[in-house]
Amino acid sequence: MRYGGSQLNVTEARHRLARKIFFGHRGELRQHYREGMEDQLGALGLALNAVVLSNSLYIDAAVKQLAADGFPVTDELPARLSPLQYDHINFLGRCAFSRQAAPGLRQLRAPHTDDEDDDDGQD
């Protein structure tokens, strides 16, 4: 089966994100039996899908906000954005999984703020 160049890049980006999630980039299966490995790989798939879903929701919100602010959003702009980015994710630190007071997304950061200043470390 042959993939086009863009499909191959998407597949490689997905694998890169999965390796980053997989035990903090150490990439070790801890269980020596098949059932344990299947559980670990299933959890990896769940975590990978959660990152992609979260990124997709925030990309959509950011594009809508840009359009509402008068930025000329064309159809090509969202098509070139990837939910497989992970620079904003804390893989090895402490993560808080608390329920938000109101349903919905967190407030978007201003476009030109420094990530270090606004990051609360709970991604």
Side-chain angles (χ1 to χ4, degrees):
M1 174 183 281
R2 288 186 59 138
Y3 291 103
S6 64
Q7 180 62 38
L8 186 58
N9 289 340
V10 169
T11 303
E12 289 172 352
R14 183 188 181 282
H15 289 309
R16 211 172 17 256
L17 174 58
R19 280 190 303 273
K20 187 74 174 172
I21 292 172
F22 193 60
F23 291 109
H25 200 52
R26 287 176 34 200
E28 299 174 7
L29 282 173
R30 299 280 181 171
Q31 302 294 329
H32 296 291
Y33 54 92
R34 183 176 180 95
E35 293 81 16
M37 287 190 287
E38 289 172 354
D39 291 344
Q40 288 179 346
L41 292 174
L44 172 62
L46 179 64
L48 179 62
N49 289 339
V51 168
V52 171
L53 175 63
S54 176
N55 285 349
S56 297
L57 292 172
Y58 279 99
I59 287 171
D60 182 59
V63 169
K64 287 179 180 175
Q65 184 65 48
L66 286 172
D69 290 345
F71 186 83
V73 176
T74 63
D75 290 339
E76 292 83 28
L77 176 67
R80 298 185 57 85
L81 299 174
S82 172
L84 297 170
Q85 301 302 314
Y86 54 83
D87 291 339
H88 61 287
I89 298 173
N90 179 6
F91 290 103
L92 296 175
R94 295 178 58 170
C95 298
F97 296 98
S98 57
R99 184 177 220 171
Q100 293 181 350
L105 302 176
R106 292 185 324 248
Q107 184 176 358
L108 296 174
R109 294 181 185 131
H112 298 292
T113 59
D114 185 13
D115 289 341
E116 298 295 322
D117 294 339
D118 289 343
D119 193 12
D120 61 2
Q122 295 185 4
D123 289 355

